Amino acid sequence: MNRLPKSPDLSREAGTPKIRLRGLCKGFGPKRVLDGVDLDVAQGESVVVIGGSGTGKSVLLKCIIGLMRPDAGSVEVDGVEVSGLRGAALDDVRRKFGMLFQGAALFDSLPVWENVAFGLIEGRGMARTEARESALRDLARVGLDEDVAGLSPAELSGGMKKRVGLARAIATKPEILFFDEPTTGLDPIMSDVINDLIVKCTRELGATAVSITHDMASARKIADRVAMLHGGRIVWQGPVADIDRSGSDFVEQFIHGRANGPIHVEAAAR
Amino acid sequence: MVEAAAAFLAAIGRTTLNFFAVAGRLTTFAGRSIAASVRPPFYPRLIAAQMVQIGYFSLPVVGLTALFTGMVLALQIFLGSARFNAESAVASIVVIGITRELGPVIAGLMVAGRVGAAIAAEIGTMRVTEQIDALETLSTDPFRYLVAPRLLAAAVTLPVLVLIGDLVGVFGAYLVGVYKLGFSPATYIQNTMDFLETIDVVSGLVKASVFGFLIALMGCYHGYYSRGGAQGVGAATTLAVVSASILLLSADYVMTELFFVQ
């Protein structure tokens, strides 16, 4: 049996990270999806979590955002434990967040501009006229003009939905941006456009970013640092420039898309 | 033999545990929903939009069913009461039957089919497409934004619908009574008014408000907890209509006892 390596030592990092995960565990019935995840994300850093389908990347993201409650472990944002928060206290933390969902998750019942302005109107109490102006500026930042503002989400293409989702994510000028499989379902050119927009918007805001993907082209483009999730734990992490010489069999197999390797061996052994 | 008995007992145990788990989850959901309905922030635009969806767009179906129910009721009561020479009681029995029972129950079942299913499908789709997760990440409580407006709108608009349904149903019975059964219009109206009491109408409207709450609650509950894509949303829709109909009829019995049985 191929044993998983221990999580990398994080004690070398100085100061309080923007996000700090320690011993994060989450299971569903007998299946343990996260089994002691340790991860630090520094202020202004862009970390991409890679891993195969079903390895718990989305669960990890949902535990950080508070959409799922971890079974054990700690989630700190700016040094404050957030995993047990509820109600108004959790809402206060979430005001620091912006998120682009895998399918964009635009509200069907609202036009594009109201989707983008939703966090400003409902979350910040901004007047609708002012929020509309702000939404139009954010749409322009992701390359969409005013004509799109009045459309319904059902009238948009996949790439446009992602752009609107990105505009909604940045509308409240969040400190931390989360991207859930930002390029899934898009053609390579549109994927690159979305990746460029993610990099641009994150830099302009000076935000910290956590993304999950299994698209290596996307990971290489948007990451400062990459962490690989497998078997419920981070099995490797390091600067994106080091990913091709990671020394990890898991990473090697994953980035080259090989059928044979430790990941396959473990799946077969079950 | 022992294994079969153990398996049987285990099945009973599982069913019992599931029942209490669902009952607990539903009670918690109802509690959170009621709390969200009475505490700010309120969303008047959403409540108004839901009132139009639930009330205005249900008018045709409620009106038509009430009309035919009143017509059939007049005919059946006339034929039944003719067996013991009590044909003159048609108007009074029709108006009491419609205002106390048939008006709220028929309207409730129609709205459960039309609105309960729509609520479950809409919220269920929002759940499986992560729109509810998106709401939460935007610091918006889905109970306040999605559930409360629907509960309030249904609880307020259903009594109005029932009041209109009562009038249409009595009018349908009047048409049959006067043009088919030969009653004099003045006598029919006089009999209707003489035997109608305030409690008949009020009890029906209170029932309607409770039915509206239950219909919206079941739609929201099954939609909110739907899982597994289109199939899950379809199942949620069916469950919303079935559970709302059963709850509605059982609540009707309880409220009838409370109102009319000393």
Side-chain angles (χ1 to χ4, degrees), chain B residues 5-68:
Chain B
F8 177 68
L9 289 173
I12 293 174
R14 260 197 310 275
T15 308
T16 309
L17 286 174
N18 281 341
F19 172 78
F20 282 111
V22 170
R25 198 165 62 171
L26 179 56
T27 306
T28 308
F29 187 90
R32 282 187 71 182
S33 303
I34 291 167
S37 302
V38 296
R39 282 206 311 251
F42 300 110
Y43 295 95
R45 284 162 58 97
L46 295 179
I47 295 171
Q50 288 301 322
M51 287 173 86
V52 172
Q53 280 292 329
I54 295 169
Y56 182 72
F57 289 120
S58 296
L59 269 175
V61 69
V62 170
L64 281 172
T65 48
L67 181 73
F68 289 118

Side-chain angles (χ1 to χ4, degrees), chain A residues 62 65 67 91 94-95 101-102 105-108 110 118-119 122 128 168 180, chain B residues 43 45 122 125-126 129-141 145:
Chain A
K62 287 181 176 179
I65 299 164
L67 294 172
D91 284 345
R94 282 178 174 157
R95 287 198 176 88
F101 286 84
Q102 186 172 349
L106 302 179
F107 305 127
D108 299 325
L110 301 178
F118 191 92
E122 304 300 343
R128 289 174 66 82
R168 184 174 69 181
D180 182 359
Chain B
Y43 295 95
R45 284 162 58 97
E122 187 179 4
T125 303
M126 290 187 74
T129 56
E130 294 187 308
Q131 290 178 53
I132 293 179
D133 288 346
L135 269 181
E136 291 191 53
T137 58
L138 291 163
S139 302
T140 302
D141 181 358
Y145 189 80

Side-chain angles (χ1 to χ4, degrees), chain B residues 175-262:
Chain B
L175 290 178
V176 171
V178 172
Y179 295 106
K180 175 84 179 168
L181 306 176
F183 285 94
S184 124
T187 308
Y188 192 94
I189 293 170
Q190 191 61 49
N191 283 346
T192 298
M193 299 309 292
D194 282 351
F195 290 95
L196 183 64
E197 294 179 10
T198 308
I199 186 69
D200 299 327
V201 179
V202 170
S203 67
L205 299 185
V206 172
K207 282 180 179 181
S209 187
V210 174
F211 294 167
F213 174 82
L214 291 174
I215 291 163
L217 183 72
M218 287 297 100
C220 292
Y221 171 78
H222 288 291
Y224 192 83
Y225 287 109
S226 66
R227 292 284 183 276
Q231 197 176 16
V233 175
T237 307
T238 307
L239 282 169
V241 176
V242 172
S243 59
S245 303
I246 293 169
L247 268 179
L248 187 152
L249 292 170
S250 48
D252 182 43
Y253 177 78
V254 172
M255 284 190 287
T256 301
E257 277 225 358
L258 288 174
F259 273 114
F260 298 109
V261 180
Q262 301 303 318

Side-chain angles (χ1 to χ4, degrees), chain B residues 106-118 158 215 237 240-241 244-245 248:
Chain B
I106 298 281
L109 291 174
M110 289 298 118
V111 173
R114 203 190 82 80
V115 174
L158 215 70
I215 291 163
T237 307
V241 176
S245 303
L248 187 152

Side-chain angles (χ1 to χ4, degrees), chain B residues 78-100:
Chain B
F78 179 82
L79 295 172
S81 57
R83 294 176 187 172
F84 39 91
N85 298 321
E87 294 95 328
S88 60
V90 167
S92 52
I93 295 175
V94 163
V95 75
I96 290 171
I98 285 179
T99 52
R100 283 188 181 190

Side-chain angles (χ1 to χ4, degrees), chain B residues 1-9:
Chain B
M1 184 67 185
V2 175
E3 282 179 7
F8 177 68
L9 289 173

